[in-house]
Amino acid sequence: MLPRELLSLLTLLCAFRVSGSVVDEDDDYELMYVNLDNEIEGPAPATEEAASCDCQREHSKWDKLFIMLENSQMKENMMLQALDELPRLELQALRAELSQLATTLAGTVATVTSRVASQVEQALLRSRDQAEEARRLQESEQGKVLEHVLQLSHNVSARLGWLESAWRRRAEEQAQQTALQQDRQHGSTGDSPGLSSLWKELQQTRAELRVSQQWAAQHLLPAGCETAILFPMRSRKIFGSVHPTSGMTLSSFTACIWLKVTEALDKTIVFSYGTRFNPYEIQLYLSRASAVLAVGSAQHKLAAPNVVVPGKWLHLCGSWSSENGSASLWAQGELAASAWHVAGAHTIPDGGILQLGQEKNGCCVGGGFDEALAFSGKLTGFNLWDRVLSPAEVTAQSTGDTCGTRGNVVGWGVTEVLPYGGAQYVS
């Protein structure tokens, strides 16, 4: 765009050029003199008559010059106005193009973003499916390995049981043979020192059998149980989480478990079930040498005294019915205590937490665990039914294949039981 002063100068030059050509063509006019004050000197002013008829005569060359200057000035203004309006129009057109371009880019970016998000989501889904498939394969392999280990453990347990029974039969046969020989010698000779020798051998055999039984009680699991959960110490972090097979809304139940406690304090939890509002819905715990079953609250309980021996396997069963509040405790397949009106008309609600070796209560920050209530020792064969078992069924739980019969709410070896904080499965 040319500057305003340059346009004005060009316009004046054009006007003077036109005026020069007009002067050359009109020889009848005389050149006028322009003084320093820009005043044009010309002929003397005309008379009134001449002035009166001035409108009828033709324009002089100076009139034409001024007219041309006025026209050029108007044209200059028009050109400047056009030049001023031209950038504004171009700017508006440029703004419209930029707006259209921004709209197009926004649509393109949105489309690309949605496509990229869709591709990323599909990739994440594929990755998740692959991870899930890998996890399933790993769980399947782990399940196979665990099944193989359990089978081997079962075989070893069966072999140990067979060896133990064979050794006992052999010891009994040897004792009988020894007794027969001593009887024969005594009948034939009548020597009293033979009887004393036989008595010593019998005492020695009984001592060996007692040692063997103690070793088996300490190192072997109850018959038919392949695995147990070891609680190595009392700790508020060590427990077992049980996930029942069916709902826990119960109007009656029977719970059985094998346990070998290292030491029983005033309250040592074997298992507990509680909700957010009541942590004492079901509890089976030890109190020194007694076993205690609590239902509905800590006050509704039944105790069986003198049944707990630290370091020895103990089979406990507790049953309860809300119909008349009847409760029973069984130890080693025999009825140890019973009572009526224990939490009568109460119903165990669903939605609680079932745990082994701990009680979740409000003692600690966040409703955590109490170390003084923790169990230390071994637990196995935990089963829970939604009914009261008969005396014969309870007795069968403590003899024979004790872990072969499983409850319909919790079945040992079928229901998921997860150890935490250092608790672990042993065989």
Side-chain angles (χ1 to χ4, degrees), residues 238-253:
I238 299 178
F239 65 98
S241 178
V242 184
H243 300 170
T245 306
S246 60
M248 288 290 294
T249 303
L250 303 173
S251 58
S252 61
F253 69 84

mmCIF file of all heavy atoms in Angstrom, residues 238-253:
data_model
loop_
_atom_site.group_PDB
_atom_site.id
_atom_site.type_symbol
_atom_site.label_atom_id
_atom_site.label_comp_id
_atom_site.label_asym_id
_atom_site.label_seq_id
_atom_site.Cartn_x
_atom_site.Cartn_y
_atom_site.Cartn_z
ATOM 1 N N ILE A 238 -2.268 -62.562 61.881
ATOM 2 C CA ILE A 238 -2.367 -63.945 61.407
ATOM 3 C C ILE A 238 -3.794 -64.431 61.608
ATOM 4 O O ILE A 238 -4.310 -64.428 62.732
ATOM 5 C CB ILE A 238 -1.379 -64.850 62.155
ATOM 6 C CG1 ILE A 238 0.068 -64.386 61.907
ATOM 7 C CG2 ILE A 238 -1.556 -66.298 61.735
ATOM 8 C CD1 ILE A 238 1.101 -65.184 62.651
ATOM 9 N N PHE A 239 -4.436 -64.849 60.519
ATOM 10 C CA PHE A 239 -5.795 -65.383 60.590
ATOM 11 C C PHE A 239 -6.092 -66.112 59.284
ATOM 12 O O PHE A 239 -5.296 -66.084 58.334
ATOM 13 C CB PHE A 239 -6.827 -64.261 60.819
ATOM 14 C CG PHE A 239 -6.929 -63.285 59.683
ATOM 15 C CD1 PHE A 239 -7.922 -63.401 58.719
ATOM 16 C CD2 PHE A 239 -6.039 -62.228 59.568
ATOM 17 C CE1 PHE A 239 -8.022 -62.505 57.674
ATOM 18 C CE2 PHE A 239 -6.115 -61.327 58.527
ATOM 19 C CZ PHE A 239 -7.114 -61.475 57.576
ATOM 20 N N GLY A 240 -7.257 -66.754 59.229
ATOM 21 C CA GLY A 240 -7.726 -67.415 58.014
ATOM 22 C C GLY A 240 -9.089 -66.870 57.626
ATOM 23 O O GLY A 240 -9.985 -66.764 58.468
ATOM 24 N N SER A 241 -9.256 -66.524 56.364
ATOM 25 C CA SER A 241 -10.522 -65.980 55.868
ATOM 26 C C SER A 241 -11.295 -67.079 55.148
ATOM 27 O O SER A 241 -10.784 -67.703 54.211
ATOM 28 C CB SER A 241 -10.264 -64.809 54.914
ATOM 29 O OG SER A 241 -11.466 -64.307 54.386
ATOM 30 N N VAL A 242 -12.540 -67.311 55.594
ATOM 31 C CA VAL A 242 -13.383 -68.380 55.051
ATOM 32 C C VAL A 242 -14.482 -67.746 54.205
ATOM 33 O O VAL A 242 -15.158 -66.811 54.649
ATOM 34 C CB VAL A 242 -14.012 -69.230 56.171
ATOM 35 C CG1 VAL A 242 -14.803 -70.389 55.573
ATOM 36 C CG2 VAL A 242 -12.929 -69.736 57.111
ATOM 37 N N HIS A 243 -14.668 -68.241 52.973
ATOM 38 C CA HIS A 243 -15.713 -67.764 52.075
ATOM 39 C C HIS A 243 -16.767 -68.863 51.939
ATOM 40 O O HIS A 243 -16.574 -69.824 51.171
ATOM 41 C CB HIS A 243 -15.127 -67.411 50.707
ATOM 42 C CG HIS A 243 -14.078 -66.348 50.782
ATOM 43 N ND1 HIS A 243 -13.280 -66.004 49.717
ATOM 44 C CD2 HIS A 243 -13.687 -65.543 51.809
ATOM 45 C CE1 HIS A 243 -12.458 -65.041 50.074
ATOM 46 N NE2 HIS A 243 -12.680 -64.749 51.342
ATOM 47 N N PRO A 244 -17.878 -68.765 52.670
ATOM 48 C CA PRO A 244 -18.881 -69.843 52.676
ATOM 49 C C PRO A 244 -19.424 -70.132 51.283
ATOM 50 O O PRO A 244 -19.525 -69.247 50.427
ATOM 51 C CB PRO A 244 -19.974 -69.304 53.602
ATOM 52 C CG PRO A 244 -19.292 -68.291 54.458
ATOM 53 C CD PRO A 244 -18.244 -67.675 53.584
ATOM 54 N N THR A 245 -19.797 -71.401 51.091
ATOM 55 C CA THR A 245 -20.342 -71.821 49.800
ATOM 56 C C THR A 245 -21.732 -71.256 49.580
ATOM 57 O O THR A 245 -22.110 -70.924 48.454
ATOM 58 C CB THR A 245 -20.360 -73.354 49.716
ATOM 59 O OG1 THR A 245 -19.053 -73.855 50.002
ATOM 60 C CG2 THR A 245 -20.802 -73.816 48.336
ATOM 61 N N SER A 246 -22.540 -71.140 50.636
ATOM 62 C CA SER A 246 -23.899 -70.607 50.537
ATOM 63 C C SER A 246 -24.072 -69.510 51.570
ATOM 64 O O SER A 246 -23.152 -69.183 52.325
ATOM 65 C CB SER A 246 -24.927 -71.728 50.750
ATOM 66 O OG SER A 246 -24.761 -72.323 52.029
ATOM 67 N N GLY A 247 -25.283 -68.913 51.613
ATOM 68 C CA GLY A 247 -25.546 -67.808 52.513
ATOM 69 C C GLY A 247 -25.485 -68.212 53.974
ATOM 70 O O GLY A 247 -25.670 -69.378 54.341
ATOM 71 N N MET A 248 -25.226 -67.211 54.821
ATOM 72 C CA MET A 248 -25.074 -67.451 56.253
ATOM 73 C C MET A 248 -26.319 -67.082 57.046
ATOM 74 O O MET A 248 -26.237 -66.901 58.272
ATOM 75 C CB MET A 248 -23.874 -66.668 56.783
ATOM 76 C CG MET A 248 -22.530 -67.232 56.353
ATOM 77 S SD MET A 248 -22.160 -68.821 57.144
ATOM 78 C CE MET A 248 -22.004 -68.328 58.847
ATOM 79 N N THR A 249 -27.469 -66.952 56.408
ATOM 80 C CA THR A 249 -28.714 -66.723 57.147
ATOM 81 C C THR A 249 -29.147 -68.054 57.764
ATOM 82 O O THR A 249 -29.638 -68.939 57.073
ATOM 83 C CB THR A 249 -29.801 -66.171 56.217
ATOM 84 O OG1 THR A 249 -29.328 -64.971 55.601
ATOM 85 C CG2 THR A 249 -31.072 -65.880 56.986
ATOM 86 N N LEU A 250 -28.942 -68.197 59.084
ATOM 87 C CA LEU A 250 -29.104 -69.490 59.747
ATOM 88 C C LEU A 250 -30.047 -69.356 60.935
ATOM 89 O O LEU A 250 -29.921 -68.430 61.751
ATOM 90 C CB LEU A 250 -27.750 -70.010 60.233
ATOM 91 C CG LEU A 250 -26.641 -70.168 59.176
ATOM 92 C CD1 LEU A 250 -25.332 -70.532 59.857
ATOM 93 C CD2 LEU A 250 -27.025 -71.210 58.146
ATOM 94 N N SER A 251 -30.980 -70.307 61.039
ATOM 95 C CA SER A 251 -31.806 -70.456 62.236
ATOM 96 C C SER A 251 -31.346 -71.660 63.062
ATOM 97 O O SER A 251 -31.839 -71.872 64.168
ATOM 98 C CB SER A 251 -33.281 -70.615 61.858
ATOM 99 O OG SER A 251 -33.457 -71.738 60.999
ATOM 100 N N SER A 252 -30.412 -72.425 62.526
ATOM 101 C CA SER A 252 -29.780 -73.527 63.242
ATOM 102 C C SER A 252 -28.484 -73.872 62.522
ATOM 103 O O SER A 252 -28.335 -73.578 61.328
ATOM 104 C CB SER A 252 -30.701 -74.759 63.307
ATOM 105 O OG SER A 252 -30.999 -75.222 62.002
ATOM 106 N N PHE A 253 -27.537 -74.491 63.229
ATOM 107 C CA PHE A 253 -26.273 -74.859 62.601
ATOM 108 C C PHE A 253 -25.574 -75.908 63.449
ATOM 109 O O PHE A 253 -25.877 -76.101 64.630
ATOM 110 C CB PHE A 253 -25.370 -73.634 62.416
ATOM 111 C CG PHE A 253 -24.843 -73.060 63.709
ATOM 112 C CD1 PHE A 253 -23.706 -73.573 64.320
ATOM 113 C CD2 PHE A 253 -25.487 -72.000 64.314
ATOM 114 C CE1 PHE A 253 -23.224 -73.047 65.503
ATOM 115 C CE2 PHE A 253 -25.015 -71.461 65.497
ATOM 116 C CZ PHE A 253 -23.882 -71.983 66.090
#
